[in-house]
């Protein structure tokens, strides 16, 4: 049976304090007080569902060669490009072979579990990197603004059992409209919550759970961990009770510290459960949206050897509380701030140059001289070695996963950036190679000469005329990063 070989996750560093949202909107929407506890993950201005998927994939492949991957699937309802393969951008950033297949999956909040089911089937032909990532927009002063969360998760699936093997699945597909978003619209339109809970969660989701238990002949009482990616307090517990699953088997949905990450939520909660699961546990995962999916898994003895670092817990630990509601609105694109004349610079994309230099730009691949060992970025025909400017001796040298440290830095309050001041400087990679890089997720106390840094795939800028998004790699303080 196919199984999970590895898992990974990414949660943005910024955590919006829900009380800050309530305090800003209480004059208009006092009813939000009931949702004002805890915090939710929000993407930085230079993060989107693609950059988060890349980070989740890197975490998933931490102990595995990228050469293992045959297919990349990406589920989301908030992908930045409607007509450009977003999974293909992820593939380029991971420096995977051009022979790797890619596919975007969306159209429903259960796209994450539906994609995962198809990924298990596809794993028979070669390892599949199954990713789900979400950065959903929510109208200011809405419940979604408090409930949603930005995050990504990934699973590496193979034809073998791995750390958890697939037992069975069951899907229910019904055009049950709990919410919808027309093509081109910014925000979801939701329906009445009680009807959704009783008719949707109570019937359709229950049908999927009962169906997989019946098909696999597994008793409800044998479920060790029940993972129901359904927003709403008590929804998972009610579904478990109706199905006969023990109350203590219901896992924490992380809503208090993360929010609900849409299509990524079931994979995220599954990855979190696998961090602490022991051999022989049965995990039941439910995804909901225009029907429901139920996926039943069983952990194997190999899970005892899982890696000690990374995953959801490490990503959650890398947090920074954010109580500036105006800053959140600006990052989310709800405010049109006066950017000033320094923001008026040419951003038109040169797509031919991007294609020709995609390894350097998208995957941060430099060059290494095979004669002297000198590392440089970008790669060129002539080595930068001062004593031997060799010609035609360089080989590809990936830098994205190599630790770095700060050699020099500047905090610039004059150059335009959506989050001033703009930090940038010269970094040096372990093993050789230097580059001038922008810093992101940077606190003043974390930026100093010699400080350890790591590279992250981020949004460089957006062309306001064409809407094209430019991606590149930025340096992030390594301490506490996942």
């Amino acid at each position: 049976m196919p199984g999970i070989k590895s898992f990974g996750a990414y949660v943005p560093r910024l955590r919006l304090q829900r009380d800050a949202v309530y305090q800003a909107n209480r004059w208009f929407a006092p009813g939000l007080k009931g949702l004002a506890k805890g915090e939710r993950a929000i993407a930085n201005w230079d993060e989107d569902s693609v950059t988060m998927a890349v980070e989740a994939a890197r975490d998933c492949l931490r102990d595995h060669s990228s050469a293992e991957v045959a297919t990349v699937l990406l589920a989301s309802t908030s992908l930045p490009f409607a007509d450009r393969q977003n999974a293909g951008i992820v593939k380029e950033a991971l420096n995977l072979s051009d022979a790797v297949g890619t596919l975007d999956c969306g159209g429903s909040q259960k796209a994450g579990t539906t994609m995962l089911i198809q990924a298990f089937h596809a794993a028979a032909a070669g390892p599949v990197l199954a990713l789900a990532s979400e950065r959903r927009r929510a109208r200011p002063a809405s419940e979604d603004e408090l409930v949603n969360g930005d995050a990504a998760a990934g699973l590496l699936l193979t034809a073998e059992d791995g750390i958890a093997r697939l037992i069975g699945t069951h899907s229910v597909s019904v055009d049950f409209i709990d919410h919808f978003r027309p093509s081109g619209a910014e925000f979801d339109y939701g329906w009445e919550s009680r009807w959704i809970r009783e008719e949707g969660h109570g019937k359709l989701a229950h049908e999927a759970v009962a169906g997989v238990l019946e098909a696999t002949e597994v008793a409800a009482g044998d479920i060790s961990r029940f993972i129901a990616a359904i927003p709403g307090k008590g929804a998972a517990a009610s579904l478990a009770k109706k199905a006969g699953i023990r109350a203590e088997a219901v896992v924490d949905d992380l809503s208090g510290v993360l929010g609900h990450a849409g299509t990524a939520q079931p994979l995220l909660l599954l990855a979190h459960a696998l961090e602490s699961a022991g051999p022989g546990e049965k995990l039941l995962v439910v995804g909901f949206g225009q029907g429901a999916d139920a996926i039943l898994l069983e952990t194997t003895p190999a899970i005892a050897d899982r890696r000690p670092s990374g995953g959801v817990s490490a990503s959650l630990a890398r947090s920074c509380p954010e109580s500036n509601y105006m800053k959140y609105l600006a990052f989310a694109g709800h405010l049109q701030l006066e950017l000033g004349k320094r923001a008026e610079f040419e951003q038109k994309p040169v797509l031919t140059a991007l294609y020709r230099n995609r390894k350097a730009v998208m995957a941060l691949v430099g060059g290494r001289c095979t004669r002297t060992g000198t590392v440089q970025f970008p790669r060129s025909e002539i080595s930068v070695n001062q004593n031997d400017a060799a010609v035609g001796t360089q080989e590809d040298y990936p830098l994205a996963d190599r630790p770095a440290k700060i050699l020099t830095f500047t905090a610039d309050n004059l150059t335009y950036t959506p989050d001033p001041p703009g930090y940038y400087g010269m970094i040096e990679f372990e093993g050789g190679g230097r580059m001038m890089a922008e810093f992101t997720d940077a606190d003043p106390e974390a930026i100093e000469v010699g400080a350890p840094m790591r590279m992250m795939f981020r949004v460089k800028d957006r062309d306001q005329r064409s809407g094209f998004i430019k991606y590149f790699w930025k340096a992030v303080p390594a301490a506490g990063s996942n």
Side-chain angles (χ1 to χ4, degrees):
M1 291 292 289
I4 299 172
K5 190 173 184 180
S6 181
F7 59 88
Y10 177 76
V11 180
R13 174 174 174 266
L14 295 177
R15 308 295 158 77
L16 180 64
Q17 303 304 295
R18 290 192 174 105
D19 186 63
V21 180
Y22 167 67
Q23 294 300 334
N25 293 294
R26 60 184 298 183
W27 66 274
F28 176 75
L32 295 177
K33 185 176 182 179
L35 299 172
K37 295 181 180 179
E39 58 188 16
R40 54 153 294 193
I42 60 170
N44 206 331
W45 73 267
D46 58 355
E47 295 183 295
D48 61 18
S49 53
V50 165
T51 66
M52 292 190 293
V54 169
E55 292 307 317
R58 295 175 72 196
D59 187 42
C60 183
L61 298 174
R62 185 192 299 260
D63 300 320
H64 300 275
S65 170
S66 59
E68 297 180 38
V69 180
T71 306
V72 177
L73 303 181
L74 174 58
S76 179
T77 62
S78 56
L79 293 171
F81 288 94
D83 193 355
R84 182 189 181 192
Q85 190 91 137
N86 296 272
I89 303 174
V90 175
K91 169 262 170 188
E92 295 286 1
L94 298 175
N95 196 28
L96 302 181
S97 165
D98 288 350
V100 167
T102 59
L103 181 65
D104 295 341
C105 308
S108 167
Q109 288 296 293
K110 72 177 176 70
T113 47
T114 301
M115 176 273 299
L116 188 56
I117 291 172
Q118 299 307 313
F120 275 119
H121 296 321
V128 178
L129 182 58
L131 305 169
S133 181
E134 205 78 272
R135 187 190 183 186
R136 292 187 292 165
R137 290 173 58 76
R139 196 181 300 277
S142 67
E143 290 189 5
D144 284 347
E145 186 176 45
L146 292 162
V147 172
N148 290 354
D150 303 333
L155 301 168
L156 180 61
L157 310 180
T158 63
E160 297 79 33
D161 287 353
I163 60 174
R165 67 181 184 90
L166 177 67
I167 299 177
T169 68
H170 187 80
S171 296
V172 176
S173 297
V174 178
D175 189 26
F176 177 84
I177 309 172
D178 56 332
H179 75 279
F180 67 94
R181 187 176 75 250
S183 180
E186 290 188 83
F187 309 112
D188 292 350
Y189 183 90
W191 203 240
E192 199 273 320
S193 58
R194 179 178 177 181
W195 182 74
I196 295 169
R197 183 173 60 251
E198 295 180 358
E199 193 71 20
H201 305 161
K203 293 183 180 179
L204 300 179
H206 171 70
E207 185 179 340
V209 171
V212 76
L213 293 176
E214 180 181 356
T216 58
E217 298 182 346
V218 172
D222 292 337
I223 300 301
S224 307
R225 306 194 189 214
F226 183 59
I227 302 165
I230 299 175
K233 185 176 181 181
S238 297
L239 183 57
K241 183 178 180 180
K242 187 172 183 178
I245 297 172
R246 295 174 296 110
E248 54 269 29
V250 179
V251 304
D252 179 9
D253 64 3
L254 304 178
S255 59
V257 295
L258 167 66
H260 190 275
T263 61
Q265 191 74 3
L267 277 71
L268 197 78
L269 297 180
L270 173 58
H272 192 226
L274 290 172
E275 291 179 20
S276 57
E281 292 191 23
K282 289 183 173 61
L283 289 72
L284 179 52
V285 183
V286 178
F288 181 82
Q290 288 75 64
D293 295 319
I295 304 172
L296 185 58
L297 303 157
E298 183 176 30
T299 55
T300 70
I303 201 168
D305 299 323
R306 65 183 175 273
R307 61 196 177 140
S309 61
V312 180
S313 295
S315 204
L316 286 174
R318 179 184 171 268
S319 65
C320 177
E322 180 56 71
S323 57
N324 189 335
Y325 181 62
M326 295 293 287
K327 184 176 181 180
Y328 156 73
L329 291 178
F331 283 6
H334 297 309
L335 290 180
Q336 290 297 320
L337 300 176
E338 172 55 56
L339 304 182
K341 294 187 180 300
R342 290 189 176 92
E344 298 174 359
F345 52 88
E346 180 62 47
Q347 301 180 65
K348 183 178 180 180
V350 183
L351 303 182
T352 49
L354 175 60
Y355 172 74
R356 293 183 181 124
N357 299 284
R358 66 187 186 279
K359 277 195 173 185
V361 176
M362 303 297 284
L364 202 67
V365 175
R368 177 182 178 275
C369 179
T370 56
R371 191 156 76 191
T372 65
T374 301
V375 178
Q376 64 187 75
F377 183 86
R379 173 179 171 171
S380 67
E381 282 299 302
I382 304 174
S383 172
V384 297
N385 187 290
Q386 293 178 336
N387 300 314
D388 188 355
V391 178
T393 60
Q394 291 193 37
E395 63 182 359
D396 283 351
Y397 192 79
L399 294 167
D401 293 324
R402 294 188 176 275
K405 64 179 180 180
I406 297 176
L407 293 182
T408 64
F409 74 91
T410 297
D412 192 338
N413 280 289
L414 295 179
T415 302
Y416 167 73
T417 174
D419 188 20
Y423 284 93
Y424 58 90
M426 183 68 71
I427 61 171
E428 182 175 50
F429 292 97
E430 185 179 288
R434 296 180 178 183
M435 68 175 287
M436 183 68 71
E438 289 185 59
F439 300 164
T440 190
D441 288 354
D443 292 323
E445 60 271 18
I447 304 300
E448 61 182 9
V449 173
M453 306 290 278
R454 60 162 298 194
M455 305 307 292
M456 279 193 177
F457 190 68
R458 293 295 180 96
V459 172
K460 173 70 174 173
D461 56 48
R462 296 177 174 87
D463 180 34
Q464 298 303 314
R465 288 179 294 182
S466 68
F468 190 81
I469 300 172
K470 299 179 182 178
Y471 296 98
F472 193 53
W473 294 80
K474 299 181 182 180
V476 179
S481 64
N482 69 324

